[in-house]
Structures are given as structure tokens and as C-alpha cells.
Amino acid sequence: MRLHIPRWVVRLLQGLVAVGLLALLWRAADGPDAARRLATADWRWLALGFLALSAQTLLSALRWRLTARQLGIALGKAQAISEYYLSQIVNQSLPGGVIGDAGRALRSRGQAGLMAAGQAVVFERLAGQIAMFLMLATAFVATLVVPGGLDWPRWLAWPVAIFLACGACLPLLAMAATHLPGAAGRSGRSLWQALHRALAARGALLGQVLLSVGTTVCNLAAFAFCARAVGIDLGLAAIAALVPLILFTMLVPISISGWGLREGAAAALFPLAGATASGGLATSVAFGLTFAAAVLPGFLMLLLGPRAKRWKTGQERTEDPNGTMRRA
């Protein structure tokens, strides 16, 4: 007999995980000191973090627009930006961190179908994670080889090395899937061709690289600005090598928008950069709050933008008696 767990129960558990982790960190990482740092945070550095995260959202929206175009979906700039803000708002508010992206795919399916729309959303997010992964890999190798880099403890260096090795093998596994027989091979080839067309085709590669590097730099800079706001000056090596590890924990879907996991990683890793665990906790909380504030302008774009009248996906609101939306 298959056990079915209601979705609201899963979301409640994810929320409890976030609260429980934060409560544990409050006791283990000197929560009162973290609170004092947050209370005296320099608003100017937080403002810079806000701007960096806002720029990250804009660049991500343009990357989604480029990816969608490669898959036959035309999105206007204003539409892409307002939709991306909406997905960020939902992702920040609900457990899992992907519900907003699913909604973005559903609302953009009119021109090329749900499969292409879903691929555009997934591939766009994947491009950003690839850039962050390459930043981590480069910084990890550099800090191991170059004198004066981070002093990686063995308990962390080996897991990071294994993570990077597994990540490097994923493209090889994807290519191998294209040679499978039957339906599995056909699906693998179709997916690989769509991925290549979206990210690596002649008309897309340069834009994908520039936009993904831009979003990565904005995310890392925002975290560093939040650290400065609470009195911590992270060096370039720590920003490039440790911050990606901290941000990658947000992908684990067991809490709300990475809360608790991100703070735990920051508290554990900041001592490697000469800071305190409470400083890592304060920095991560400041980053999370700044990120939440950075998506709020999306409400204005959603209210004032063209979304309420017409979509380039081929749908518009009509005055049908039943009040539904039909094809234009």
C-alpha cells in the first residue's frame, strides 16, 4: 500500500525544519552576538546588497528570455522581468523554492507548449548553477594550490572534492544517455539537443555566459556586502570559495527558501575565513532578509505592467460570461 502524505503536511514540516535549525543555531552559534550585529548593521552595505540582488533578478530574467527564445518562446523584456519577480516572490514565500518557477513555466506555455516552457525555466536555472559551480571549482583548486589560500580542513576538502568530481561527471552521463537504445535514448537525445540549442548554440552561448557570470558575481557580492554590514570583511578567496558552498545549501528542498540550512553552513564555514560562527549566522540572516526585500518591487511591476492585459504567449483576458481566459 502506497503512503500518501498531503502536500500541506510536507510544507508544514519544511517550515518546522527551518525554524528548528534556526533555533539550534541561536544556541550553538551565539545567537545574542548575531542579534547585536544585526541590530547595528550598516544600512549602506545592506543597500548595496539590495542593489546587487536586484541586478541579479534582472539579469536572470534576461537569461530566461534568451533561453526561451532559443526554444521558440518570445517574451518581452517587461514580461520576463515581471514574471521573474513573481516567481522569486513565490519561491521566497513557500517551501521547496521551485513553486514560483513552475508557475512561470505554466504561464509561458502558450507558444510552444508546456514541455518547451518547462525546459526554458529549468535550463535557465541550470545555467546559473553551472556558473556558480565553475566559480566554486576554480576557487577551490586555486586556494589549494596558491600559497596563502584558505586552509581547507580534511573534513571539508574531501566532500567538496567529491561534490566537484560528481558535478563534472554529470555532462558525461547526459551524453551517455543519448546512446541508450529505444525510447530512453530518444528522450536523452531530444533533451540534449534542446539543452544545446538553449545554452550553447551560436546565437545563445555568449549571452548565456555573460548573463550567468553576471548573476554569480551579483550573488557573491551581495553576500559579501551583507557580511560587511555586520562587521565582517571577507577576503576574495573566502567570497569565491566559501560563499558558493553556502548558497548551494539553498537548493536542498527541506526548508523554506534555504532558511536554516544557509545559516548553518555560514556558521560552520566562516571560521575558516577568520570570522566567528555568530558572524556567519548574522551575515546569512542579513542576506536572507535583504533577498526578501529585493523581490518586493516585483509587486509594483505586477500591478503596473502589461501582464494584466495581454501576453505574448498568445493569451488575453476576455469578457466571456464565465470570466475565463481564452486564446486570443
Side-chain angles (χ1 to χ4, degrees):
M1 182 176 178
R2 187 174 180 179
L3 179 63
H4 175 71
I5 301 177
R7 183 173 297 180
W8 69 268
V9 173
V10 175
R11 293 178 178 175
L12 177 62
L13 291 174
Q14 290 172 319
L16 292 176
V17 167
V19 173
L21 288 174
L22 289 172
L24 288 174
L25 287 169
W26 178 267
R27 295 180 61 87
D30 195 354
D33 180 67
R36 286 191 294 269
R37 289 177 178 271
L38 288 169
T40 58
D42 190 333
W43 67 268
R44 293 167 295 185
W45 287 109
L46 294 178
L48 286 176
F50 178 93
L51 292 176
L53 289 172
S54 297
Q56 177 267 145
T57 298
L58 296 176
L59 293 175
S60 296
L62 295 178
R63 185 175 60 201
W64 175 46
R65 181 172 181 256
L66 171 61
T67 306
R69 185 193 70 192
Q70 293 297 112
L71 297 176
I73 303 171
L75 299 170
K77 288 183 179 180
Q79 177 187 350
I81 293 171
S82 62
E83 274 291 298
Y84 214 95
Y85 264 112
L86 175 59
S87 70
Q88 293 274 47
I89 292 169
V90 175
N91 287 344
Q92 286 286 304
S93 305
L94 297 176
V98 297
I99 299 174
D101 295 316
R104 183 157 47 102
L106 285 171
R107 289 187 296 273
S108 62
R109 70 187 185 277
Q111 294 179 48
L114 184 58
M115 176 65 74
Q119 288 178 342
V121 170
V122 172
F123 293 164
E124 179 271 320
R125 291 291 298 268
L126 178 62
Q129 299 308 324
I130 291 173
M132 187 71 75
F133 178 86
L134 292 176
M135 173 65 74
L136 171 60
T138 302
F140 179 70
V141 173
T143 52
L144 284 177
V145 174
V146 177
L150 291 174
D151 185 14
W152 291 90
R154 183 172 298 180
W155 65 265
L156 180 62
W158 279 108
V160 173
I162 293 171
F163 170 72
L164 294 176
C166 291
C169 290
L170 289 179
L172 300 178
L173 294 176
M175 292 182 64
T178 64
H179 298 287
L180 293 173
R186 289 192 296 271
S187 298
R189 287 189 292 274
S190 176
L191 184 63
W192 182 262
Q193 290 168 1
L195 180 63
H196 180 272
R197 185 166 63 252
L199 302 185
R202 179 176 297 180
L205 181 58
L206 180 60
Q208 291 284 7
V209 170
L210 293 177
L211 291 171
S212 295
V213 170
T215 57
T216 298
V217 171
C218 286
N219 273 309
L220 299 186
F223 204 91
F225 292 151
C226 290
R228 288 295 299 271
V230 298
I232 298 170
D233 187 6
L234 291 176
L236 182 60
I239 295 172
L242 298 183
V243 175
L245 282 176
I246 295 170
L247 296 182
F248 269 131
T249 62
M250 297 174 66
L251 299 178
V252 182
I254 63 171
S255 70
I256 299 177
S257 192
W259 280 99
L261 295 172
R262 182 185 60 232
E263 286 68 37
L269 295 178
F270 263 47
L272 301 181
T276 62
S278 62
L281 175 59
T283 297
S284 187
V285 171
F287 177 83
L289 295 176
T290 303
F291 195 4
V295 303
L296 293 180
F299 282 115
L300 292 177
M301 299 194 69
L302 293 171
L303 293 174
L304 303 177
R307 180 173 176 267
K309 295 181 179 180
R310 182 184 291 269
W311 291 89
K312 287 189 177 181
T313 54
Q315 293 181 331
E316 63 175 327
R317 292 195 180 277
T318 64
E319 298 298 328
D320 288 349
N322 59 2
T324 60
M325 181 181 289
R326 63 176 177 82
R327 302 283 297 190

